Structure formats: structure tokens, C-alpha cells
């Protein structure tokens, strides 16, 4: 039976890598993103087993419409991967209105979006005893690698709490819920803006001696959505090369 995965943030970075990995492994991927051009590019690269949906996960009505369409076309989904997210600067020295607007925008996508997707996916996941994977961040534990990450760190810490709450509720029904917390993942929208010197400093502090890449996350995501990981739930799994461990 063909497996069905919903991947948000599927047009760039980690989300795109996850979507591509699942497609290559034979999943039918329902790819969710906000950028029509990037969605078209994904579909062009994967013309088979990929259906794209222009949806903003922070938009309540848009998410509701997406799941109405999914429920009308599919009898179940097997995996939901909440990878949509972005960062905006929030600190205590910027104008309050700007700080608040950035805070609201970051939390609405990174945390509330994952909440809405998970709640609306649950009825379809119950039919297949599926999996939810939330893409968190090392920033949930460190507060970010520099100042300005208040909203992002709070959103990702909240995402970890959401993972725990969903796992407590859904695991008795056969649905596993886990979170992956990446460290420094090169060549993504988050890290491409880092100066070369900062990248060198980060890599020097990583015990394995290299930056992470998107496939490090995609491979783990695929494993957590397999039967081999059926006894793993409610976990926050760090993928950071030893930059931070023991959490």
C-alpha cells in the first residue's frame, strides 16, 4: 500500500530535503508551501508521487481548506512532517510594535501552524496509526547562537512542548510523535546568511568536525516514520554533531 506523507515547508531547506527523500522512497508526498514558483519547481523535479498545495500554515482558514481537500481525496495519511518555519529578529532594544509583530509572525508559523496541522491531521493519522515529526531547533535549548532569537527560541521550545502533549494523547492510539532538533545545517535559508568566519567558528566547536546537511535530518525523519521506530515517541532528538548534548 502506498504511504502518504504531508510535508510543510516543502519548498526549501530541510523541508524540501525531507519531501524529496520521502518521494524517492516511494511515498506519495503532499507538499505544502507558500511560494507558488518554488512549488512548481518541486513538482517539476518530482512529477510523480508529488502533489503540491499553496498553503500558509499560519492561516487558519487555509489550513482548514487544505485538510478538507486531503480528506476528500485520501482515506488516511501516514505521516505529517511539520517543517515550515522561519526566523525574524526580536530583541529588547527594537521598537515594541516591530518586536511584537515579528514575535507574532514567528510563533504563528513555527508553533501555531504545527498545532493546527497536527490537530487537523489527527483523524486521518488515526486511520493508519501514523507519525508526526516536528522540526525544532537547537535554539530551543540555547536561546539562539546570537541575540535576536527570542521569538524563534520560544517558538521552538513551544514546539517541543507540543510534541510532548501530542505524544501523551496520541501514542495510545498508535500514533508516534517526535521532534528533531537540528544544529547548524549548512546551505539553508537560516544559515546561508552566516558570515564565513562565523561558520568556521561553529564548525570548530562541533565535535564531529563538520556542519550538518539537510540529508542528516531527512534520513532520521524517514526512520522515525518507519515501523522500525514504532517504540520511539515523545522524544526530542538532537542532530547537531555533538554541539549540544545531554538535553
Amino acid at each position: 500500500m502506498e504511504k502518504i506523507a504531508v510535508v510543510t515547508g516543502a519548498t526549501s531547506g530541510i523541508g524540501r530535503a525531507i519531501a524529496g527523500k520521502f518521494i524517492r522512497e516511494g511515498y506519495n508526498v503532499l507538499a505544502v508551501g507558500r511560494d507558488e514558483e518554488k512549488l512548481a519547481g518541486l513538482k517539476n523535479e518530482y512529477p510523480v508521487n508529488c502533489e503540491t498545495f499553496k498553503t500558509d500554515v499560519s492561516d487558519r482558514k487555509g489550513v482548514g481548506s487544505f485538510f478538507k481537500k486531503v480528506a476528500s481525496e485520501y482515506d488516511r495519511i501516514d505521516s505529517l512532517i511539520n517543517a515550515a518555519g522561519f526566523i525574524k529578529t526580536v530583541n529588547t532594544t527594537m521598537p515594541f510594535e516591530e518586536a511584537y509583530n515579528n514575535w507574532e509572525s514567528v510563533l504563528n508559523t513555527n508553533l501555531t501552524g504545527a498545532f493546527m496541522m497536527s490537530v487537523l491531521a489527527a483523524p486521518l493519522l488515526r486511520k493508519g496509526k501514523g507519525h508526526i515529526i516536528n522540526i525544532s531547533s537547537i535554539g530551543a535549548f540555547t536561546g539562539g547562537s546570537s541575540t535576536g532569537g527570542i521569538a524563534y527560541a520560544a517558538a521552538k521550545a513551544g514546539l517541543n512542548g507540543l510534541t510532548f502533549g501530542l505524544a501523551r494523547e496520541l501514542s495510545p492510539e498508535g500514533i508516534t510523535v517526535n521532534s528533531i532538533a537540528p544544529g547548524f545545517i549548512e546551505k539553508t535559508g537560516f544559515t546561508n546568511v552566516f558570515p564565513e568566519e562565523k561558520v568556521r567558528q561553529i564548525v570548530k566547536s562541533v565535535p564531529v568536525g563538520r556542519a550538518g546537511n539537510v540529508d542528516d535530518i531527512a534520513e532520521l525523519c524517514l526512520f522515525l516514520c518507519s515501523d522500525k521506530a514504532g517504540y520511539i515517541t515523545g522524544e526530542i532528538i538532537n542532530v547537531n554533531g555533538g554541539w549540544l548534548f545531554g538535553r
Side-chain angles (χ1 to χ4, degrees):
M1 181 185 296
E2 185 178 60
K3 290 188 175 181
I4 302 160
V6 174
V7 182
T8 72
T11 57
S12 62
I14 289 172
R16 185 178 172 87
I18 292 169
K21 181 68 177 176
F22 275 60
I23 291 167
R24 293 191 298 274
E25 291 294 323
Y27 277 76
N28 186 19
V29 169
L30 312 184
V32 176
R34 296 186 299 179
D35 190 310
E36 236 175 283
E37 187 176 339
K38 289 181 179 180
L39 284 169
L42 180 66
K43 181 66 176 175
N44 186 58
E45 183 176 354
Y46 299 104
V48 179
N49 291 346
C50 178
E51 189 174 355
T52 58
F53 298 84
K54 185 178 184 298
T55 303
D56 182 344
V57 300
S58 70
D59 176 39
R60 178 179 173 183
K61 290 183 179 178
V63 172
S65 296
F66 166 73
F67 273 104
K68 282 182 181 178
K69 184 171 177 59
V70 171
S72 70
E73 295 183 10
Y74 299 93
D75 62 349
R76 71 181 203 292
I77 59 175
D78 299 284
S79 301
L80 167 66
I81 297 92
N82 289 310
F86 62 84
I87 187 169
K88 283 186 176 180
T89 298
V90 175
N91 58 42
T92 59
T93 61
M94 64 198 305
F96 174 74
E97 286 301 323
E98 182 182 1
Y100 180 82
N101 289 337
N102 286 359
W103 165 275
E104 190 172 45
S105 178
V106 170
L107 263 72
N108 282 348
T109 294
N110 288 275
L111 179 55
T112 304
F115 163 75
M116 292 191 295
M117 292 292 297
S118 298
V119 170
L120 290 173
L124 291 167
L125 288 164
R126 286 186 176 102
K127 296 178 180 180
K129 297 191 180 299
H131 315 274
I132 296 175
I133 308 295
N134 295 317
I135 304 301
S136 182
S137 170
I138 190 173
F141 303 108
T142 66
S145 59
S146 60
T147 60
I150 292 173
Y152 187 73
K156 293 304 188 182
L159 191 62
N160 291 347
L162 177 66
T163 299
F164 298 146
L166 289 170
R168 180 70 66 191
E169 177 177 344
L170 298 176
S171 296
E173 300 182 59
I175 300 170
T176 63
V177 187
N178 293 289
S179 182
I180 299 173
F184 183 81
I185 306 299
E186 63 182 355
K187 298 177 182 177
T188 71
F190 290 89
T191 57
N192 279 339
V193 298
F194 284 26
E196 287 186 18
E197 180 56 32
K198 183 169 184 176
V199 173
R200 282 194 291 270
Q201 289 174 356
I202 290 172
V203 171
K204 278 180 66 176
S205 68
V206 174
V208 301
R210 69 168 176 88
N213 60 69
V214 292
D215 288 335
D216 291 324
I217 309 303
E219 289 283 358
L220 176 58
C221 194
L222 186 69
F223 169 72
L224 290 173
C225 289
S226 73
D227 293 338
K228 295 177 182 178
Y231 205 54
I232 303 172
T233 194
E235 290 297 323
I236 312 300
I237 302 173
N238 290 297
V239 184
N240 60 45
W243 196 13
L244 176 76
F245 45 73
R247 301 292 181 94

